[in-house]
Amino acid sequence: MPDGGPVIILTRPQMGENIGAAARAMLNFGLTELRLVDPRDGWPNPRAVAMASGAAGRVLDRARVFPTLAEAMEGISYAFATTARGRELTKPIFTPATAAAHARTEIAQGGRVAFIFGPERAGLDNADVARASAILTVPVNPDFPSLNLAQAVLLLGYEWAQDRLPMQPMPAGRRPPGEIPADRVEVERLGDHYERRLDEAGYFFPELKAPSMKQNLRNLWARMPLTRADVQVLHGMLRHLTRAR
Amino acid sequence: MPDGGPVIILTRPQMGENIGAAARAMLNFGLTELRLVDPRDGWPNPRAVAMASGAAGRVLDRARVFPTLAEAMEGISYAFATTARGRELTKPIFTPATAAAHARTEIAQGGRVAFIFGPERAGLDNADVARASAILTVPVNPDFPSLNLAQAVLLLGYEWAQDRLPMQPMPAGRRPPGEIPADRVEVERLGDHYERRLDEAGYFFPELKAPSMKQNLRNLWARMPLTRADVQVLHGMLRHLTRAR
C-alpha cells in the first residue's frame, strides 16, 4: 500500500461511531495516519473502536490527539480544509480529483499533505479554514448535499488511491453509432429461446454440466453489445436451424 | 439535476437501513431511479424510510420492486454488475470512473444504463453477473476491501456526477472569481517597498550575503498567489511598522 500518503485530521469530531467509520474509509484506500483535534467525548473512544473492526482498529490505535488544529498540523506542508462554504476567504478551491492530483505533486516534491474535516453538525469554522492552504469541496446535488463525515473521507481516499491500486481501468467496448441497442429483456428472451431449442436438441449434456453450460451461454448473450437488429437476426437463425430438423 | 441518469438496481437487499442509505447516496449525486429485486424484508420497509429522510424518501416512494433481476432490467440497454469477483466470466471490467464515462456515452446514444448491486453479505452471484453487460469493480486496498452497499453506490454516483453538478472543478491553484489577482508590477513594487525599508533597518547583513537575501525575498513575493487586496494589506503593514520607529 502507498506510504507517506495524506494525513486525515478530524477537527472536534462528535460521535465515536463517525471516527470509527472514517478510519474504515481511510483504510479502504490505504490511508493510515489519523489525527484528532479535541474530540468531544475524549480519547480513546470505545464506540469508535467498536465501529472500526480489524485492521481499521489499528488506524485508531495509532491516531494522535491534539488540543488545537494549529498543533495538529505539525509536519504538514500543505493542508486542505474540507468545506462547502468558506468562499469569503481568498483561497484556491479544489474538488477531490484535483486535490488528489495536487497532493501527489506536493508529496512527490517531499511535502506532507493533510485533509482537514470539521465537526459533523457544523463543519469547519472560518478560523479553521483560514489555517489551511486551500479549500476542498465535494460537488454534490445542491438540493441534497448531506454527505456524512465518513463519506467525505471515503471520496477523498478514493481519489487519492486512483491509479495507485492494483486494478487498472479497462478500455470500454463500443457499439457502432446509429444502431438501437437491444433492451435487456429482449436479450433475456433471446437467451430463453436458445436455451429451449438447445435443450430440445440434447445440447446440454452431460446433465451434471448443464447448469454451468447454461450460465456460460447466458453470459455470452449478456456481454455482446447487441442491437435490436442483432437480436432479430439471432432469433431468425435459430428458427431456421430448428425448422430444418 | 441530470435526468435519464443511470438506474440503481439493488438485488436481494437485506437491511432496510442499507436501502435507505443507498437512496441517500444516490440523491447526493442526483440519481433518482431505484429498482429493488426481491428485498428480503418485503416492501415498503419502515427502516429504509427512517434512514432516508426528506428528499431521499421520495426516491424510495418511487422505487419499483421486481421478483427477478431479469425483470428488473426492463428498458435497460447496458447494465454493469458491481462485484469484486466474477472474473471467471468473459466480460469487460470497468472502474467507477471508466464506467461513468461509458455510461455517459451509452446514454448520449439513446441507451439506458443500470448499475446492479448485490446483497450485503454475499454480493452478486454468478447467475446475476452473467446477465450484465459488464463488470464494475471499485479498486480498494486489497488488505481491507470492505465497502458497504451505500458506499459503493456513493462512489458510483460521485463518478457519474463529475462535470454535471453546478460546482465545476476549479483548475488547481486558482483563486475564487471576484478576487482580482495582483499585477506582477504591483508585486514588484511591493518587493521594492520591503527591500527599501529592510535596507534602512539594517536587515541585509553581512553585505556579502545581501544580494542572495534580496533575491530570496523577491522570490518569496513572486510565488505567493497574491490579490490586489493582499498587496495593499502588505504595504499597509509595512508602513505602520516603520512609522512606529
Side-chain angles (χ1 to χ4, degrees):
Chain A
M1 288 309 304
D3 206 24
V7 175
I8 301 297
I9 302 178
L10 305 185
T11 304
R12 302 183 299 282
Q14 299 171 292
M15 309 267 287
E17 291 84 345
N18 293 334
I19 302 171
R24 294 182 64 92
M26 287 172 62
L27 196 58
N28 282 142
F29 295 107
L31 298 177
T32 56
E33 188 169 344
L34 175 64
R35 299 184 185 181
L36 303 171
V37 176
D38 188 23
R40 186 190 68 184
D41 299 337
W43 196 257
N45 183 325
R47 288 174 181 230
V49 174
M51 189 67 169
S53 58
R58 290 198 289 280
V59 172
L60 295 182
D61 293 342
R62 290 190 305 211
R64 292 168 65 197
V65 182
F66 297 83
T68 65
L69 177 58
E71 288 160 284
M73 287 209 273
E74 177 193 307
I76 301 300
S77 60
Y78 200 97
F80 294 91
T82 307
T83 175
R85 300 187 308 276
R87 302 305 184 84
E88 63 270 31
L89 295 167
T90 305
K91 190 98 75 181
I93 301 171
F94 291 81
T95 63
T98 56
H102 195 72
R104 282 185 212 108
T105 305
E106 180 76 14
I107 290 168
Q109 291 173 356
R112 284 222 78 192
V113 172
F115 289 95
I116 306 166
F117 296 85
E120 293 92 321
R121 191 166 298 271
L124 291 170
D125 61 32
N126 276 0
D128 299 322
V129 176
R131 288 193 154 74
S133 319
I135 287 173
L136 169 67
T137 297
V138 181
V140 286
N141 179 353
D143 298 328
F144 194 75
S146 64
L147 286 183
N148 69 35
L149 182 57
Q151 286 175 321
V153 172
L154 186 86
L155 290 173
L156 193 281
Y158 167 80
E159 284 289 5
W160 163 253
Q162 289 287 304
D163 305 328
R164 311 214 140 216
L165 287 162
M167 213 213 79
Q168 288 303 313
M170 302 261 297
R174 284 275 180 76
R175 165 188 307 115
E179 296 280 358
I180 304 161
D183 193 300
R184 300 316 293 180
V185 171
E186 294 174 312
V187 177
E188 278 292 319
R189 284 199 206 110
L190 181 71
D192 294 341
H193 189 184
Y194 270 75
E195 194 172 296
R196 198 164 58 243
R197 294 300 178 218
L198 289 167
D199 214 354
E200 291 164 2
Y203 172 82
F204 298 111
F205 184 84
E207 211 171 326
L208 196 68
K209 284 196 175 170
S212 72
M213 290 172 82
K214 286 179 184 178
Q215 182 170 281
N216 286 340
L217 199 61
R218 208 48 88 157
N219 185 48
L220 185 155
W221 299 124
R223 75 186 141 82
M224 292 294 115
L226 294 170
T227 62
R228 294 207 153 158
D230 293 332
V231 170
Q232 292 318 309
V233 166
L234 288 163
H235 277 298
M237 281 169 56
L238 182 59
R239 274 194 301 271
H240 279 260
L241 290 167
T242 52
R243 188 185 297 160
R245 288 191 311 120
Chain B
M1 288 310 305
D3 206 22
V7 175
I8 301 296
I9 302 179
L10 304 185
T11 305
R12 301 183 301 281
Q14 300 170 289
M15 308 266 288
E17 290 84 346
N18 293 333
I19 301 171
R24 292 181 66 90
M26 286 173 62
L27 196 58
N28 282 142
F29 294 107
L31 298 177
T32 57
E33 187 169 344
L34 175 63
R35 299 184 185 180
L36 303 171
V37 176
D38 188 23
R40 185 189 67 183
D41 299 337
W43 195 256
N45 183 324
R47 288 174 180 231
V49 174
M51 189 68 170
S53 57
R58 290 197 289 280
V59 172
L60 295 182
D61 293 341
R62 289 190 306 210
R64 293 169 63 197
V65 182
F66 298 84
T68 65
L69 177 59
E71 288 160 283
M73 287 209 274
E74 177 191 310
I76 301 299
S77 62
Y78 200 95
F80 293 91
T82 306
T83 175
R85 300 187 307 276
R87 301 305 184 84
E88 63 271 31
L89 296 166
T90 306
K91 190 97 78 179
I93 300 171
F94 291 80
T95 62
T98 57
H102 194 69
R104 281 185 212 110
T105 305
E106 179 75 15
I107 289 168
Q109 291 175 354
R112 284 223 77 191
V113 172
F115 289 95
I116 307 166
F117 296 84
E120 293 92 320
R121 192 166 297 271
L124 291 170
D125 61 32
N126 276 359
D128 299 322
V129 176
R131 288 192 153 75
S133 321
I135 287 171
L136 169 67
T137 296
V138 181
V140 285
N141 180 354
D143 298 329
F144 194 75
S146 64
L147 286 182
N148 68 35
L149 181 57
Q151 286 175 320
V153 172
L154 186 86
L155 290 172
L156 193 280
Y158 167 80
E159 284 289 4
W160 162 254
Q162 290 285 307
D163 305 327
R164 311 216 141 214
L165 287 162
M167 210 216 81
Q168 289 303 311
M170 303 261 301
R174 280 270 190 80
R175 60 182 73 71
E179 289 287 340
I180 304 160
D183 192 295
R184 301 317 293 177
V185 171
E186 294 174 311
V187 178
E188 276 297 313
R189 284 199 206 111
L190 182 71
D192 295 343
H193 189 186
Y194 271 78
E195 194 172 296
R196 198 163 57 242
R197 295 299 178 219
L198 288 167
D199 215 354
E200 289 165 8
Y203 173 80
F204 299 111
F205 183 85
E207 212 172 324
L208 196 70
K209 283 196 174 169
S212 72
M213 290 172 83
K214 285 178 183 176
Q215 182 170 283
N216 287 342
L217 198 61
R218 214 40 96 153
N219 185 47
L220 185 155
W221 299 122
R223 72 187 143 81
M224 296 292 116
L226 296 170
T227 64
R228 294 204 153 162
D230 294 333
V231 170
Q232 292 317 311
V233 168
L234 288 164
H235 278 298
M237 281 169 54
L238 182 58
R239 272 194 299 272
H240 278 260
L241 290 168
T242 52
R243 188 184 297 160
R245 285 194 309 120

